[in-house]
Amino acid sequence: MTINYKIVAIVPFLFLSIIATAQQVDSSKTVIVADSTTIEIDTPVAKQSRFKTATKVWETLILSTPRDFVEMGHTLKKDWKSNLAYLAGVSLVVLADKPITKWYQDKLEKKIDYTLPALPGSKGNQFFRGNDAYLNYSIIALYGGSLATNYKTGQRAALNSLKALGYSYLLVHVGLKAAFARQRPDPNLSDGIPPRAPLTTDPHEFFHFRKLNFNTGPDGTSFPSFHATAYYAVAKVMAMEFDNYWIPYGLVTFVFFADLDAHKHWVGDMVAGGLLGTLIGKGIVTSSRYFEKKRQQNQANSLYKKKFKASYSLLPEISTRMTGLTLRVGL
C-alpha cells in the first residue's frame, strides 16, 4: 500500500486549529479547581468578551512563570520513586548506548523512512526549520483559531506550548547541552569506519566543553536531545489541556519520526529529552491551573465580602413604649 505523505503531512498542521473551532466556547463557563492539577467545569456564567478572555490568558501566562519551576520541583519531589527509576533507566541506556543506538540505526532509521513536504518558511529560518514548522505553525494556528472563537482553553494551550518550547530551548539546548557536552554518534556505527571528529563511536564521551552556543552543531551538543524535549513538552501540554493523550502524542511522534536519521542522537539523548519535556510540560500546565485557582478564590472572596457587607446605624427612638437608642444592622 502506498501512502501519500503529502496528504498525511497536513494532519499535524490542521489538528490543533480544528480543536479551536470544534470545541464549545469555554468562556461561557466558570472553572472551579479542586487542586493545582485538576479542573472541573460546571457553573454557567456570562460570556466574556474576546479581549477579556485573551487578557486573562496572557495574565496567567506571565504571572504563573515563577510558579512553573516550583511545580517542576514538586513533581520531582512528589514522585521521587518514579523519577529515581527514570534516572536509573536513562543511566542504563547511556551505559549501553552503543549497541542500543547501533540497533536503532540499523532497524529503525532504515525501516521508518518517510519525509514531510517542506512548509513555507521552513528553509533557513531558525524557528521554523524543517519539520519544526509543523509544530510551530500548528501552535500559531491553534492560538489564532481560539482567539477568533473566544476559546479560552485553546488560547491557554497554545501559549503554554510556546512557553514549553522556550523553556526547552533555554534549559536544554543552551543549558544542559553545555553542561554535559556529549559528543554526537557516528551516523553509521555498523560500518566499522572511524567517523570524522567530533562525531564518535564512544557513547561515554561527555564534558567536551565549548563556548556557549545558541545554535546547534556536532561538537558537544548531543545530550539531551532538544527536539525530543521540545516536542514532548508540547505534547504533554496539549494532552493535559485537552484531556486527550492519544492525539497529541500520536501527532507529535509522527512529526518527530519523519526524517528520523536527521536527529543524529544516541538513544539515551532522546529518552532523556522526552522525560525532561514531560516534566516541563506538566510543570507549566499545573502552574497555570494553580494561578487560575487562586484568582478564582480571590474573586469569590471579593464577591462574598461585597454581598455580605454589613451596615450599621444607631438611631434615637422616642415612643409610647420606650425612649432610647435603636441599633439597626443591614446585610
Side-chain angles (χ1 to χ4, degrees):
M1 182 179 66
T2 302
I3 300 176
N4 188 335
Y5 289 113
K6 290 188 177 181
I7 295 176
V8 176
I10 66 173
V11 175
F13 177 69
L14 293 177
F15 161 64
L16 296 177
S17 59
I18 290 173
I19 289 178
T21 55
Q23 298 285 339
Q24 291 182 341
V25 178
D26 63 353
S27 58
S28 62
K29 299 179 179 180
T30 186
V31 178
I32 300 178
V33 185
D35 54 36
S36 63
T37 61
T38 59
I39 290 183
E40 297 176 2
I41 302 175
D42 53 13
T43 309
V45 297
K47 180 180 178 180
Q48 295 178 345
S49 67
R50 287 185 178 85
F51 178 78
K52 190 170 184 180
T53 300
T55 300
K56 284 190 173 182
V57 172
W58 277 97
E59 181 184 57
T60 299
L61 178 81
I62 296 170
L63 297 182
S64 65
T65 297
R67 182 83 191 181
D68 295 343
F69 302 97
V70 174
E71 291 296 342
M72 292 180 205
H74 283 174
T75 299
L76 291 174
K77 182 179 179 181
K78 181 180 178 181
D79 302 326
W80 67 269
K81 290 182 179 179
S82 298
N83 293 316
L84 190 62
Y86 293 144
L87 179 61
V90 171
S91 300
L92 290 174
V93 172
V94 169
L95 288 173
D97 237 340
K98 186 171 182 177
I100 293 174
T101 303
K102 185 177 179 180
W103 176 89
Y104 162 83
Q105 291 177 347
D106 294 341
K107 301 299 183 181
L108 290 184
E109 285 187 355
K110 294 177 180 178
K111 297 291 177 64
I112 303 177
D113 185 18
Y114 63 93
T115 58
L116 303 179
L119 294 177
S122 62
K123 295 181 179 179
N125 189 310
Q126 181 177 354
F127 298 102
F128 294 91
R129 183 179 300 160
N131 293 334
D132 296 349
Y134 282 89
L135 193 69
N136 298 334
Y137 280 141
S138 295
I139 293 171
I140 293 172
L142 171 62
Y143 183 74
S146 300
L147 189 63
T149 56
N150 199 17
Y151 182 38
K152 183 179 179 181
T153 299
Q155 294 179 46
R156 187 177 59 233
L159 293 181
N160 279 342
S161 293
L162 290 177
K163 183 186 276 190
L165 292 177
Y167 285 174
S168 298
Y169 179 78
L170 293 174
L171 296 176
V172 172
H173 191 70
V174 177
L176 292 180
K177 281 181 180 287
F180 288 103
R182 189 187 196 187
Q183 299 294 61
R184 290 181 181 266
D186 179 355
N188 195 345
L189 291 168
S190 297
D191 62 8
I193 301 174
R196 181 180 299 178
L199 301 179
T200 182
T201 58
D202 183 359
H204 307 135
E205 286 199 29
F206 285 86
F207 311 119
H208 286 261
F209 297 116
R210 52 181 170 73
K211 293 182 180 179
L212 192 64
N213 186 4
F214 292 93
N215 295 314
T216 189
D219 190 16
T221 60
S222 188
F223 185 89
S225 166
F226 164 62
H227 277 98
T229 304
Y231 278 43
Y232 288 100
V234 171
K236 184 65 175 178
V237 168
M238 294 294 178
M240 292 183 69
E241 293 287 8
F242 295 111
D243 194 25
N244 183 305
Y245 277 74
W246 289 104
I247 296 177
Y249 275 92
L251 291 175
V252 164
T253 301
F254 179 80
V255 177
F256 183 78
F257 272 67
D259 299 326
L260 192 60
D261 58 348
H263 292 297
K264 293 182 172 62
H265 276 292
W266 301 98
V267 170
D269 302 338
M270 293 181 283
V271 173
L275 292 173
L276 286 170
T278 300
L279 175 66
I280 290 171
K282 183 177 181 180
I284 290 171
V285 176
T286 306
S287 173
S288 65
R289 290 178 177 180
Y290 178 88
F291 180 83
E292 289 192 350
K293 172 189 173 182
K294 298 296 290 186
R295 179 168 58 192
Q296 291 158 15
Q297 288 177 340
N298 291 337
Q299 290 174 347
N301 291 337
S302 178
L303 283 172
Y304 180 85
K305 290 179 181 179
K306 183 177 180 180
K307 184 175 181 179
F308 295 100
K309 184 177 180 181
S311 60
Y312 305 91
S313 60
L314 193 62
L315 301 174
E317 182 175 338
I318 301 175
S319 66
T320 56
R321 292 179 300 173
M322 65 167 289
T323 299
L325 297 175
T326 300
L327 176 64
R328 294 184 179 180
V329 180
L331 298 177

